[in-house]
Amino acid sequence: MYDKIKQYFQDNNLPKFRIKQFEDLIFKQFVSSFDDMTTFSKDLREQLNENFNLYSLSLIETEKTKDTIKFMFETEDGDHIESVLMINGKRRTACVSSQIFCAMGCKFCATGAKPFKRNLTGEEIVEQVLFISKYLKKMDERVSNVVYMGMGEPFMNYDNVVESIKIFNDRDKFDIGARHIVVSTCGIIPKIKEFMNLNLQVRLAISLHAANDELRSSLMPVNNQYPLKDLIEVCDEFTKKTNKKVSYEYVLIKGVNDSEKDAKELVQLLEGKLVHVNLIAYNPHEFADFEKPAKSTIINFKNILENNKIESSVRRSMGDEISGACGQLAGKK
Ligand code: SAH
Ligand code: SF4
């Protein structure tokens, strides 16, 4: 509702400093309701209450483990979306959703198993981080990083995602540095190009998961439209233009893409490039029949990359205890 309320202030000739106050109340104080806006007159609060809902999402549930907290929201039209807060050292990372389910149909992904519903609005994306910030404020902490790795494919909702990035980055709003924001995509090439030309300094992660077209297309239908060679080419361009490493995410699935041959193929694909590979053990869920590999397989895979000077890390699928890990949010009613 943020933009509409701002407009209302302007239409009613309220002084400019009221808008600044309003922004502070939302983006610094994280107020819950118009009634909490005690810097405003009672009359103004009443007017706002009558005309607007302050937020379009309502927080309906949080589920906490040691270092992850899953937030479940209800949209105004009654759908449910999820975000995850990950606590890691000093980092407080908000993993946000960009769509209600996803149309890309990747075979291993719980989000993709349900029929795509709709894009989230910019406001709905921003509000996920607002609610998480509000939660952290109680402990005198703030969101330090945002990753677009929740439900949905961010580059299929390009305009709203970019709108939200600008708000996260805005000094007067969340003030989260562009380098602390990561957009993860299954590889929508034209949008990667458009994004790169915005020069936002935001980081890019690519869901790769296979190093040859045949395997990748069988796991990720998007590869039929945007095959590997073209994808890697545009990522190289991204690195050249922004001076930033691209992260490649590689979910290791037992017996599917986790063999030594697969690792060597990945080496061939990425050799000599300024990249980082994030290895993630497949997180089993009810919508697919895959299994996660043994620890030794993961270590072996990583060693092959390291021996060939490809920087990599093994990412714990954060939040797997609460089935709230990034990329596996399927929503529940
Ligand atoms: N649509 C975007 C962002 C959301 S998915 C994308 O695909 O990049 C975030 C990450 O979680 C992606 O790398 C995705 O491939 C991964 N993922 C999906 N399902 C998973 C599973 N079952 N186990 C582990 N990672 C998974
Ligand atoms: Fe969509 Fe990403 Fe899941 Fe693929 S991995 S179905 S692009 S959310």
Side-chain angles (χ1 to χ4, degrees):
M1 282 302 132
Y2 166 74
D3 278 336
K4 283 196 193 128
I5 297 171
K6 244 170 88 169
Q7 192 60 49
Y8 178 83
F9 279 30
Q10 274 157 9
D11 294 347
N12 287 281
N13 294 322
L14 283 156
K16 265 215 174 102
F17 76 91
R18 286 280 176 227
I19 293 183
K20 176 82 182 92
Q21 273 181 338
F22 177 67
E23 277 185 358
D24 278 357
L25 287 163
I26 302 277
F27 295 107
K28 305 273 183 240
Q29 309 295 325
F30 311 114
V31 292
S32 302
S33 65
F34 291 120
D35 295 330
D36 288 347
M37 300 187 169
T38 46
T39 34
F40 290 170
S41 69
K42 192 151 177 275
D43 188 40
L44 178 55
R45 277 181 271 154
E46 264 164 24
Q47 277 175 46
L48 293 171
N49 261 326
E50 255 166 50
N51 290 293
F52 303 100
N53 285 327
L54 182 52
Y55 298 115
S56 42
L57 295 183
S58 24
L59 178 62
I60 51 172
E61 200 180 298
T62 53
E63 217 177 305
K64 190 172 186 295
T65 59
K66 200 167 118 267
D67 48 14
T68 43
I69 299 114
K70 184 161 81 167
F71 291 73
M72 174 93 71
F73 300 99
E74 188 164 287
T75 62
E76 277 178 337
D77 46 3
D79 281 308
H80 290 161
I81 58 164
E82 293 166 296
S83 328
V84 181
L85 165 63
M86 300 176 284
I87 313 279
N88 193 346
K90 285 193 174 159
R91 240 183 282 160
R92 301 288 174 268
T93 304
C95 174
V96 297
S97 294
S98 55
Q99 299 183 309
I100 304 184
F101 304 124
C102 180
M104 307 315 292
C106 303
K107 298 287 186 286
F108 47 81
C109 175
T111 306
K114 300 249 181 107
F116 170 68
K117 196 98 188 245
R118 68 168 170 87
N119 282 336
L120 294 181
T121 63
E123 217 158 56
E124 286 169 326
I125 301 172
V126 168
E127 285 182 20
Q128 296 170 57
V129 180
L130 268 179
F131 280 92
I132 295 178
S133 302
K134 186 174 161 61
Y135 175 94
L136 283 172
K137 191 176 161 68
K138 284 183 244 155
M139 289 155 273
D140 224 8
E141 293 180 349
R142 62 186 285 271
V143 172
S144 60
N145 297 61
V146 174
V147 297
Y148 289 78
M149 295 185 184
M151 292 164 76
E153 166 49 49
F155 282 167
M156 292 300 277
N157 184 15
Y158 183 84
D159 291 341
N160 296 343
V161 162
V162 168
E163 178 192 323
S164 65
I165 289 175
K166 289 183 176 159
I167 294 178
F168 295 140
N169 195 212
D170 187 334
R171 274 168 181 261
D172 293 325
K173 301 201 171 100
F174 290 91
D175 196 20
I176 298 170
R179 275 163 296 126
H180 296 143
I181 300 175
V182 182
V183 176
S184 173
T185 175
C186 62
I188 315 290
I189 292 178
K191 293 297 169 190
I192 299 177
K193 286 191 179 152
E194 217 175 311
F195 192 65
M196 160 171 93
N197 290 326
L198 287 181
N199 256 325
L200 291 175
Q201 300 298 312
V202 166
R203 290 180 186 274
L204 181 67
I206 303 288
S207 287
L208 194 65
H209 312 323
N212 69 66
D213 278 321
E214 198 188 341
L215 181 58
R216 192 163 191 269
S217 295
S218 75
L219 293 170
M220 306 176 71
V222 68
N223 193 70
N224 290 309
Q225 198 178 353
Y226 302 118
L228 270 174
K229 185 174 157 288
D230 301 346
L231 179 59
I232 303 291
E233 206 172 276
V234 74
C235 290
D236 288 349
E237 247 178 87
F238 183 93
T239 300
K240 216 163 132 191
K241 184 155 174 125
T242 62
N243 235 335
K244 287 200 163 42
K245 263 182 216 167
V246 169
S247 289
Y248 288 96
E249 290 161 282
Y250 195 102
V251 172
L252 288 160
I253 310 172
K254 186 176 175 181
V256 173
N257 64 357
D258 64 344
S259 69
E260 283 188 13
K261 182 173 162 281
D262 292 310
K264 285 177 185 155
E265 232 171 344
L266 186 57
V267 167
Q268 265 179 5
L269 189 71
L270 300 179
E271 225 170 8
K273 299 184 189 298
L274 189 65
V275 299
H276 183 92
V277 176
N278 248 319
L279 297 170
I280 312 154
Y282 170 73
N283 199 347
H285 54 80
E286 60 184 300
F287 303 106
D289 248 348
F290 297 124
E291 287 173 52
K292 69 161 108 174
K295 270 211 176 95
S296 56
T297 312
I298 301 175
I299 293 167
N300 198 19
F301 200 98
K302 180 177 161 62
N303 285 342
I304 296 174
L305 299 185
E306 298 285 288
N307 291 341
N308 288 282
K309 301 198 169 54
I310 294 185
E311 185 190 289
S312 69
S313 50
V314 178
R315 191 168 77 203
R316 216 160 45 88
S317 355
M318 289 278 206
D320 45 9
E321 312 90 330
I322 54 171
S323 70
C326 290
Q328 298 145 68
L329 304 176
K332 58 179 176 195
K333 279 262 170 186

